Amino acid sequence: MEQPNLNYIQTLSGGDKSFEDKIIAIIKSEFPTEEHIYFKNIKVQNYQLTAEIVHKLKHKISILGLEKSYNVAVAFENNLLDGSTELQVEFESILLTITNFLKQL
């Protein structure tokens, strides 16, 4: 499985460490809340709201350099909008990978 990285953030920052730190702080602040909302909505089978939070999370997935995982998130979001939870296990594995990565920062 691919691993999160800071390459995109570092490229975006142009070497501005302060900017990098701000982006990382935002992700570390928002991700746990969005992940919690995801699990709350998937548990009660509110697929519309789950799709909305997956939409938000997929951008963080992309920022963390997870290209294949981003594609999984896009497909999972579309599945949810169609009332299907196909790719749920794969998506939740991505969330766990990101959680572990953010803990190390």
Side-chain angles (χ1 to χ4, degrees):
M1 177 174 225
E2 63 185 339
Q3 292 299 309
N5 61 72
L6 302 176
N7 295 345
Y8 177 75
I9 294 170
Q10 291 166 342
T11 300
L12 190 63
S13 76
D16 182 344
K17 184 70 173 143
S18 174
F19 178 79
E20 291 174 19
D21 291 343
K22 286 178 186 174
I23 297 297
I24 293 167
I26 290 168
I27 292 171
K28 287 177 81 171
S29 169
E30 292 179 353
F31 184 82
T33 301
E34 292 171 354
E35 182 181 39
H36 174 76
I37 293 167
Y38 163 79
F39 281 111
K40 184 177 92 173
N41 284 304
I42 197 80
K43 182 178 180 180
V44 298
Q45 300 178 349
N46 187 332
Y47 299 143
Q48 178 65 39
L49 290 178
T50 305
E52 289 175 18
I53 201 67
V54 169
H55 182 80
K56 288 182 180 182
L57 285 163
K58 76 181 180 186
H59 296 294
K60 288 176 179 63
I61 291 168
S62 177
I63 288 169
L64 292 173
L66 299 167
E67 295 176 24
K68 292 176 185 170
S69 297
Y70 176 84
N71 292 332
V72 170
V74 168
F76 183 49
E77 178 185 4
N78 290 331
N79 290 349
L80 289 165
L81 292 172
D82 290 338
S84 168
T85 57
E86 185 177 346
L87 298 175
Q88 179 179 348
V89 171
E90 293 86 342
F91 183 77
E92 291 176 5
S93 176
I94 294 164
L95 295 180
L96 179 60
T97 299
I98 292 173
T99 297
N100 292 335
F101 177 75
L102 294 176
K103 286 180 183 177
Q104 295 174 3
L105 295 180

